[in-house]
């Protein structure tokens, strides 16, 4: 099962259970903006009041929910910053009938934690292959910066690296960088890396 088919299956489960407003986030959304990533986990942002319903829908389809007592399959994820991040959502292991996803996790995250509560439909794009929407480049970059500002340790470094990819791959326009720079110190720092 290809990655987009796998994600489309999740979208189908959500649609069957009237879970709306779900957005692809993290590495998957970054790849849709042209940033090369190695997707080690699938992150989906949900309205805070729909996370429990989405979780119940996945469990009914054979997904295994993981607690914080279960370290992630990728050992580097279990630092303090990662633990706080994972604690904000619900973690699942893909069912065994999904090929080529051994140990891969799905994380459902509240949009409030990601700074995406007030995102309007005009600030999202559609991934036709999966059926999900995902944040515009500037909204995703702002969300990553919001997570960075409340993170620590290795996880904060990861968020900083993710933000730097937006600069490296020239994803944002100058006016978008101006807007981001007005709202967070992270972008002021990263913008200094741009050639004059």
């Amino acid at each position: 099962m290809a990655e987009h088919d796998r994600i489309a299956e999740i979208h189908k489960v959500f649609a069957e259970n009237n879970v709306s407003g779900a957005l692809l986030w993290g590495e998957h959304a970054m790849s849709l903006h042209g940033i090369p990533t190695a997707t080690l986990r699938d992150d989906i942002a949900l309205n805070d009041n729909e996370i429990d319903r989405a979780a119940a829908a996945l469990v009914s389809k054979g997904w295994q929910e993981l607690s914080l007592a279960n370290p992630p399959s990728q050992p580097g994820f279990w630092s303090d910053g990662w633990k706080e991040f994972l604690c904000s959502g619900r973690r699942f292991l893909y069912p065994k009938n999904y090929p080529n996803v051994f140990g891969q996790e799905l994380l459902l995250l509240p949009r409030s934690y990601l700074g995406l509560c007030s995102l309007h439909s005009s600030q999202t794009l559609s991934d036709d292959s999966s059926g999900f929407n995902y944040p515009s480049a500037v909204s995703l970059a702002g969300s990553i910066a919001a997570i960075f500002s409340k993170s620590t340790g290795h996880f904060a470094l990861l968020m900083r690296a993710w933000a730097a990819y937006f600069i490296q791959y020239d994803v944002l326009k100058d006016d978008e960088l101006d807007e981001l720079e007005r709202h967070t110190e992270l972008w002021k720092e990263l913008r200094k890396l741009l050639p004059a």
Side-chain angles (χ1 to χ4, degrees):
M1 181 181 292
E3 181 179 352
H4 65 273
D5 294 331
R6 183 179 80 230
I7 303 296
E9 282 291 314
I10 299 167
H11 184 271
K12 182 180 173 186
V13 171
F14 287 174
E16 289 169 352
N17 289 273
N18 298 315
V19 176
S20 60
L23 297 169
L24 296 175
W25 190 81
E27 293 167 333
H28 196 98
M30 289 166 60
S31 71
L32 292 168
H33 286 294
I35 298 171
T37 62
T39 306
L40 302 173
R41 199 187 61 252
D42 293 320
D43 299 325
I44 297 180
L46 288 159
N47 294 322
D48 296 33
N49 64 350
E50 294 193 299
I51 288 182
D52 290 343
R53 185 157 20 113
L58 292 171
V59 168
S60 75
K61 296 289 187 180
W63 290 67
Q64 176 189 353
E65 185 161 10
L66 301 174
S67 74
L68 286 179
N70 299 99
S73 55
Q74 305 293 327
F77 289 177
W78 213 232
S79 65
D80 286 342
W82 272 107
K83 196 177 288 191
E84 181 183 333
F85 178 71
L86 294 170
C87 189
S88 74
R90 306 275 291 268
R91 295 171 54 214
F92 294 87
L93 204 56
Y94 274 88
K96 291 186 170 125
N97 62 326
Y98 282 71
N100 305 318
V101 290
F102 177 75
Q104 187 157 338
E105 294 183 9
L106 169 69
L107 189 59
L108 305 181
L109 293 161
R111 285 173 66 157
S112 61
Y113 184 82
L114 301 175
L116 296 172
C117 274
S118 58
L119 203 64
H120 300 290
S121 58
S122 62
Q123 296 168 298
T124 65
L125 304 167
S126 177
D127 174 30
D128 293 335
S129 65
S130 73
F132 278 104
N133 286 348
Y134 59 101
S136 67
V138 70
S139 299
L140 181 59
S143 173
I144 290 167
I147 298 296
F148 171 81
S149 69
K150 54 187 169 187
S151 298
T152 58
H154 295 297
F155 188 66
L157 291 176
L158 176 67
M159 291 299 103
R160 187 186 188 286
W162 280 10
Y165 293 152
F166 283 80
I167 302 283
Q168 180 180 352
Y169 292 100
D170 201 24
V171 174
L172 299 166
K173 299 174 185 155
D174 285 342
D175 61 327
E176 292 172 327
L177 283 168
D178 290 342
E179 180 67 21
L180 287 166
E181 192 176 292
R182 279 193 286 276
H183 295 292
T184 173
E185 290 297 317
L186 173 63
W187 288 97
K188 288 180 187 174
E189 177 193 344
L190 289 174
R191 201 156 191 197
K192 291 175 186 170
L193 303 176
L194 288 170

